[in-house]
């Protein structure tokens, strides 16, 4: 009787697609979804791809000229519906996660190792693999080539996971970049007898640290490969090689049974420092290679929030003519506790820059008269356009159509906007239409109604709300531009901050190929859809102070992710699960806890002596130092802040630095589709 076949699944990933041309349709590709596995079958490694149990249920269509998965549509023929995860408001589902039922894996159910293509399924032994081509098309896709010169279908990793698949293969074969084609990874197989001799040699307990993975046989091939590179470019190869040492050391302290549960970066660094005296572990960006050292961020301080600024407190900071005084101290109080609602109508005009801090009552009255005339002149421009004129003005028609659609679904549960023919909705509509006359180039973009709604609610005045909204849009303008350069830059900056704060979590998110798109809505409209209406007002007025640093909203993102990282990592969430989990946080976040944690992170980084220059630039710490020197040299200047006890925050320029080196790195990323 034949012995039972023992199989172990080493890698299992769903949502891998094969693109094949749909019959009779040259403009669309047929997408077959399946599951990709790496299986250890009695010591021999197989790679297996199986389509879903029901081929029809796995078919989607995508235009060939489209690189965005979110633009897929189902074919005309009847299909079994896919399970979709929608957020509470479908128009903000930036990416609709698609889930497929997982076919149970039965041990020993691996197909014959000879390549088979029945219903687009195939399986092959790793010993038969000659090379793998790695391509990019908005996502990664791999093309396996076998030794018999046969080429298997392209495997498209729309939902990420390609690097994890290649890392799994590297446990058993050597993948080296071809000298003739950088996109081709050549596969070589280690000599098993020699490998076994190395393992026997390293059984000696005197090689305890080495035994766990530093000088395994496959790493000898790695060294030989880099020796060839060293001969071509000694400088870059040497520094690049040093950067990899930390990865091997980190692997040395990860048990085989808990590969998915990494130790915190700080804990591993402490262990390594004890084992290898003098070793410093840290990360900084360098062109062409990565140098890894250690940065001690120090302890994160405890932070307490304060009471809101009441009417009496606000009045104390105004002189007899209406000029605001001790502005820095006032901003500090607003940052620590926000404003009571009775103060917001006046205070927001100062915080947003509509009113100058040093203006008198009379000057502000004169300013309002001027701004009122200017507003109604612009409003008259679109009001006076006849129907015949509008038929020949596609830009105006498009703006009006999109505004009417968005206004009718903006904060309709709020009493200020609820019910039909609500005056609040009419003002919301008219302000947005007038803004199209103010900024012809930008016009109206979906999401701007969310930024205006709380401002109009507080101001209760069409004119004041418009000019406060104009000031707010000056800050948010790049988020809504066609190229969305502001969004790209912020997502890159968020990645930089998170990498410094929590390397293990950063590595986990990078492995999901998420691009931090689950934070996209947070940044686009400053958490408007994540918090209650009252909490949004508190958050925005705190952020408008410009304290305690530049780009404080990015630290807010870090604070939220820090609270959720344990759940995400322990449950091994992939990109779809992370996106779903983040969407479900809406209306469940505690604004005071998040503000406190974000402030604590800021103070922790500010006290770090070896803070990377890129992080200091993102948070504006260099600008802070320059501003402090200028204030010290001109203590009597207009609006000079009053000394404040403690070091809870420092006033900074609210405008972001250009971060040109980060902007240049943001290429070919984040193509988004709005779902109306």
């Amino acid at each position: 009787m034949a012995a039972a076949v023992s199989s172990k699944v080493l890698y299992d990933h769903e949502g891998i697609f094969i693109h094949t041309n749909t019959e009779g349709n040259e403009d669309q590709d047929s997408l077959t979804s399946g599951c990709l596995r790496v299986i250890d079958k009695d010591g021999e490694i197989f790679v297996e791809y199986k389509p879903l149990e029901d081929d029809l249920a796995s078919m989607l269509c995508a235009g060939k000229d489209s690189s965005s998965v979110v633009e897929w549509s189902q074919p005309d023929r009847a299909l079994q519906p896919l399970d979709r995860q929608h957020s509470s408001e479908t128009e903000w589902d930036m990416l609709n996660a698609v889930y497929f039922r997982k076919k149970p894996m039965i041990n020993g159910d691996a197909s014959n190792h000879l390549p088979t293509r029945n219903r687009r399924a195939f399986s092959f032994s790793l010993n038969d693999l000659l090379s793998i081509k790695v391509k990019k098309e908005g996502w990664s896709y791999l093309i396996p080539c076998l030794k018999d010169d046969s080429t298997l279908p392209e495997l498209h990793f729309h939902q990420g996971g390609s690097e994890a698949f290649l890392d799994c293969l590297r446990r058993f074969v050597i993948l080296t970049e071809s000298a003739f084609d950088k996109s081709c990874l050549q596969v070589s197989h280690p000599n098993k007898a020699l490998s076994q001799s190395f393992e026997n040699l390293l059984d000696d307990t005197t090689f305890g640290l080495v035994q766990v993975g530093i000088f395994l046989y496959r790493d000898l091939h790695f060294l030989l490969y880099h020796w060839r590179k060293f001969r071509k470019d000694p400088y870059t190869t040497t520094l690049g090689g040093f950067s990899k040492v930390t990865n091997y050391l980190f692997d040395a302290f990860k048990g085989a049974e808990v590969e998915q549960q990494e130790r915190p970066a700080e804990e591993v660094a402490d262990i390594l420092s004890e084992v290898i005296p003098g070793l410093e572990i840290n990360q900084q960006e360098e062109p062409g290679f990565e140098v890894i050292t250690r940065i001690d961020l120090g302890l994160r301080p405890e932070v307490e929030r304060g009471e809101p600024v009441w009417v009496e407190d606000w009045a104390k900071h105004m002189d007899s003519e209406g000029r605001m005084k001790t502005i820095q101290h006032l901003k500090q109080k607003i940052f620590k506790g926000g404003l009571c609602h009775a103060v917001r109508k006046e205070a927001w005009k100062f915080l947003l820059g509509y009113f100058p801090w040093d203006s008198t009552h009379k000057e502000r009255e004169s300013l309002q008269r001027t701004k009122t005339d200017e507003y109604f002149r612009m409003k008259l421009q679109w009001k006076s356009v006849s129907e015949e004129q509008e038929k020949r003005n596609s830009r105006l028609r498009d703006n009006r159509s999109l505004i009417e659609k968005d206004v009718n679904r903006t904060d309709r549960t709020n009493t200020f906007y609820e019910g039909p023919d609500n005056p609040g909705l009419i003002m919301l509509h008219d302000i947005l239409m007038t803004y199209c006359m103010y900024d012809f180039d930008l016009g109206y973009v979906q999401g701007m109604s969310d930024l205006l709604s709380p401002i109009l609610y507080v101001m209760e005045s069409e004119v004041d709300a418009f000019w406060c909204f104009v000031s707010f849009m000056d800050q948010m303008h790049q988020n809504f531009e066609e190229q969305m350069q502001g969004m790209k830059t912020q997502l890159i900056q968020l990645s930089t901050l998170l990498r410094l704060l929590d390397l293990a979590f950063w590595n986990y998110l990078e492995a999901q190929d998420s691009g931090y798109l689950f934070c996209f809505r947070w940044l686009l409209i400053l958490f408007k859809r994540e918090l209650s209406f009252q909490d949004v007002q508190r958050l925005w007025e705190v952020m408008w102070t410009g304290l305690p640093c530049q780009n404080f909203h990015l630290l807010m993102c870090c604070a939220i992710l820090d609270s959720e990282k344990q759940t995400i990592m322990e449950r091994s969430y992939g990109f779809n699960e992370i996106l779903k989990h983040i969407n479900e946080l809406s209306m469940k976040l505690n604004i005071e806890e998040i503000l406190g944690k974000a402030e604590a992170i800021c103070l922790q980084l500010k006290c770090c002596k070896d803070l990377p220059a890129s992080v200091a630039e993102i948070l504006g710490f260099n600008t802070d130092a320059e501003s402090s020197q200028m204030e010290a040299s001109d203590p009597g200047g207009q609006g000079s802040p009053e000394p404040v006890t403690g070091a809870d925050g420092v006033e900074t320029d609210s405008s972001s630095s250009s971060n040109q080196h980060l902007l240049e790195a943001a290429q070919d990323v984040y193509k988004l589709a709005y779902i109306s």
Side-chain angles (χ1 to χ4, degrees):
M1 183 175 178
V5 177
S6 175
S7 297
K8 180 181 179 182
V9 178
L10 307 175
Y11 172 89
D12 188 348
H13 192 76
E14 292 181 353
I16 310 300
F17 288 83
I18 292 178
H19 291 208
T20 55
N21 187 260
T22 304
E23 296 180 4
N25 191 343
E26 297 181 355
D27 296 327
Q28 291 185 324
D29 284 343
S30 170
L31 307 181
T32 301
S33 174
C35 179
L36 183 66
R37 297 188 179 99
V38 178
I39 304 172
D40 184 347
K41 183 179 177 182
D42 284 343
E44 187 171 2
I45 307 303
F46 292 87
V47 176
E48 174 188 281
Y49 178 84
K50 286 188 176 182
L52 293 185
E53 186 173 9
D54 183 353
D55 276 349
L56 288 179
S58 66
M59 302 298 289
L60 297 171
C61 287
K64 286 186 176 180
D65 60 348
S66 170
S67 62
S68 179
V69 179
V70 298
E71 294 173 356
W72 292 350
S73 59
Q74 294 186 352
D76 293 337
R77 62 191 177 208
L79 300 180
Q80 177 178 339
L82 298 174
D83 294 332
R84 286 183 176 269
Q85 175 61 39
H86 293 278
S87 67
S88 58
E89 299 188 57
T90 57
E91 67 273 19
W92 280 103
D93 285 331
M94 296 301 172
L95 298 171
N96 280 319
V98 180
Y99 295 86
F100 302 96
R101 288 178 298 135
K102 185 174 180 180
K103 185 176 180 180
M105 174 63 188
I106 303 174
N107 287 339
D109 189 28
S111 303
N112 188 287
H113 71 284
L114 294 176
T116 61
R117 294 169 180 80
N118 182 29
R119 296 178 62 191
R120 302 188 183 91
F122 62 82
S123 172
F124 61 86
S125 170
L126 204 54
N127 293 327
D128 297 328
L129 185 60
L130 176 65
S131 64
I132 301 176
K133 290 188 176 181
V134 182
K135 303 285 187 178
K136 289 280 187 179
E137 189 179 280
W139 56 80
S140 298
Y141 66 94
L142 308 180
I143 310 173
C145 302
L146 303 184
K147 292 180 179 178
D148 61 1
D149 293 332
S150 62
T151 301
L152 296 170
E154 298 174 356
L155 299 174
H156 291 254
F157 292 75
H158 289 153
Q159 303 171 24
S162 60
E163 284 299 325
F165 172 69
L166 293 175
D167 288 342
C168 182
L169 297 188
R170 288 188 179 99
R171 295 166 57 186
F172 310 101
V173 295
I174 312 301
L175 301 180
T176 55
E177 185 180 288
S178 171
F180 306 100
D181 184 358
K182 293 184 178 181
S183 67
C184 181
L185 298 177
Q186 295 178 331
V187 180
S188 56
H189 302 267
N191 183 289
K192 292 185 178 180
L194 182 59
S195 178
Q196 185 62 44
S197 67
F198 267 87
E199 292 174 4
N200 294 338
L201 174 64
L202 296 177
D203 279 343
D204 195 317
T205 56
T206 60
F207 292 89
L209 178 61
V210 180
Q211 179 183 359
V212 290
I214 301 178
F215 294 120
L216 292 179
Y217 175 71
R218 63 177 181 271
D219 300 329
L220 179 60
H221 284 261
F222 169 82
L223 295 175
L224 292 175
Y225 166 69
H226 281 277
W227 167 249
R228 300 189 191 101
K229 292 181 65 179
F230 175 80
R231 296 179 65 182
K232 295 181 179 179
D233 189 352
Y235 178 73
T236 301
T237 305
T238 300
L239 291 176
F242 285 154
S243 75
K244 307 302 179 184
V245 173
T246 300
N247 293 335
Y248 294 119
L249 294 176
F250 273 50
D251 290 340
F253 291 93
K254 285 166 51 178
E257 298 298 325
V258 290
E259 290 184 355
Q260 301 300 323
Q261 299 180 2
E262 299 187 22
R263 292 176 181 266
E266 297 83 1
E267 182 179 345
V268 175
D270 292 337
I271 295 174
L272 292 176
S273 298
E274 295 177 3
V275 175
I276 309 176
L279 177 67
E280 293 187 353
I281 304 171
N282 183 5
Q283 303 210 4
Q284 67 184 47
E285 297 288 346
E286 293 290 348
F289 50 83
E290 181 180 87
V291 180
I292 303 180
T293 55
R294 180 187 176 187
I295 291 182
D296 182 9
L297 297 179
L299 296 177
R300 186 172 296 174
E302 294 290 333
V303 171
E304 293 184 1
R305 300 288 298 161
E307 291 290 323
V309 174
W310 303 100
V311 176
E312 298 80 6
D313 298 326
W314 179 262
K316 290 178 182 177
H317 288 81
M318 185 180 296
D319 65 19
S320 58
E321 293 185 341
R323 294 185 183 89
M324 303 304 299
K325 56 184 181 180
T326 59
I327 300 167
Q328 177 66 12
H329 181 256
L330 177 59
K331 286 185 177 181
Q332 182 66 35
K333 294 194 68 175
I334 296 173
F335 171 76
K336 296 297 285 186
L339 298 161
C340 72
H341 189 71
V343 178
R344 283 184 176 136
K345 182 180 294 188
E346 184 175 12
W348 279 22
K349 297 171 187 175
F350 288 94
L351 290 172
L352 284 167
Y354 176 32
F355 285 170
W357 289 96
D358 59 348
S359 62
T360 64
H361 289 303
K362 291 183 178 180
E363 290 170 341
R364 291 196 288 272
E365 290 174 0
S366 175
L367 176 65
Q368 281 184 305
R369 287 194 296 269
T370 302
K371 290 297 185 180
T372 299
D373 292 342
E374 187 176 352
Y375 172 77
F376 283 108
R377 280 197 300 268
M378 288 186 292
K379 183 175 181 179
L380 184 60
Q381 292 174 4
W382 64 268
K383 279 282 192 179
S384 60
V385 174
S386 66
E387 293 184 6
E388 288 297 320
Q389 287 178 302
E390 189 165 333
K391 289 179 181 179
R392 296 184 293 272
N393 190 334
S394 60
R395 184 70 182 273
L396 182 61
R397 288 198 313 270
D398 293 343
N399 282 330
R400 187 192 297 273
S401 174
L402 191 54
I403 288 172
E404 289 174 353
K405 182 189 298 183
D406 282 0
V407 163
N408 286 328
R409 58 191 180 188
T410 299
D411 294 323
R412 295 307 300 275
T413 58
N414 188 296
T415 54
F416 192 79
Y417 299 108
E418 68 180 0
D421 301 323
N422 187 298
L425 293 179
I426 297 174
M427 285 194 291
L428 197 66
H429 171 274
D430 289 357
I431 292 173
L432 293 172
M433 285 296 297
T434 306
Y435 186 81
C436 294
M437 300 294 104
Y438 175 84
D439 191 337
F440 284 98
D441 291 336
L442 182 62
Y444 177 78
V445 181
Q446 189 176 15
M448 289 166 57
S449 63
D450 280 284
L451 299 184
L452 173 59
S453 173
I455 294 176
L456 178 57
Y457 171 81
V458 169
M459 294 298 151
E460 300 179 316
S461 163
E462 185 175 342
V463 174
D464 290 343
F466 173 82
W467 291 110
C468 287
F469 176 66
V470 166
S471 298
F472 195 17
M473 281 301 301
D474 288 344
Q475 303 175 26
M476 305 293 292
H477 199 280
Q478 278 195 323
N479 285 10
F480 297 94
E481 293 171 359
E482 185 175 359
Q483 300 300 320
M484 306 199 81
Q485 194 60 58
M487 292 301 302
K488 296 175 186 177
T489 300
Q490 290 175 82
L491 291 169
I492 292 172
Q493 292 173 335
L494 176 59
S495 175
T496 301
L497 292 172
L498 195 60
R499 182 178 185 179
L500 175 66
L501 292 169
D502 195 325
L503 181 60
F505 188 41
W506 179 86
N507 282 326
Y508 182 90
L509 295 178
E510 287 293 309
Q512 313 309 316
D513 294 330
S514 68
Y516 299 89
L517 285 179
F518 46 81
C519 299
F520 184 91
R521 191 172 69 184
W522 296 357
L523 300 175
L524 181 68
I525 50 176
L526 281 185
F527 305 93
K528 169 63 167 55
R529 297 288 181 97
E530 322 311 318
L531 303 170
S532 68
F533 203 75
Q534 293 302 318
D535 285 348
V536 168
Q537 296 172 58
R538 173 58 47 83
L539 172 63
W540 287 2
E541 63 200 14
V542 165
M543 296 177 65
W544 290 336
T545 64
L547 300 175
C549 65
Q550 187 174 282
N551 287 317
F552 182 63
H553 64 293
L554 298 181
L555 296 184
M556 292 275 297
C557 296
C558 292
I560 297 173
L561 292 175
D562 182 69
S563 299
E564 302 302 322
K565 68 178 180 181
Q566 184 175 356
T567 299
I568 291 172
M569 295 180 72
E570 285 184 353
R571 299 180 183 179
S572 301
Y573 282 166
F575 173 66
N576 282 339
E577 291 82 7
I578 295 174
L579 182 63
K580 177 177 180 292
H581 179 74
I582 294 299
N583 283 341
E584 290 175 347
L585 294 178
S586 179
M587 304 301 162
K588 299 177 183 177
L589 299 172
N590 186 315
I591 184 60
E592 293 299 329
E593 288 183 5
I594 297 170
L595 284 170
K597 180 176 284 189
E599 182 185 358
I601 293 173
C602 176
L603 296 177
Q604 180 186 26
L605 296 179
K606 202 163 192 175
C607 293
C608 178
K609 296 180 180 179
D610 301 317
L611 193 68
S614 59
V615 174
E617 182 178 359
I618 291 171
L619 300 179
F621 290 161
N622 296 334
T623 305
D624 290 348
E626 295 172 1
S627 299
S628 298
Q629 293 176 1
M630 293 178 62
E631 290 169 3
S633 63
D634 185 20
Q638 181 65 48
S640 179
E642 178 179 275
V644 182
T645 57
D648 293 322
V650 178
E651 182 179 20
T652 65
D653 186 356
S654 61
S655 60
S656 301
S657 62
S658 60
N659 293 318
Q660 286 297 324
H661 66 290
L662 293 171
L663 293 176
E664 293 171 359
Q667 298 176 354
D668 303 325
V669 289
Y670 314 127
K671 183 179 182 182
L672 303 170
Y674 290 101
I675 299 176
S676 301

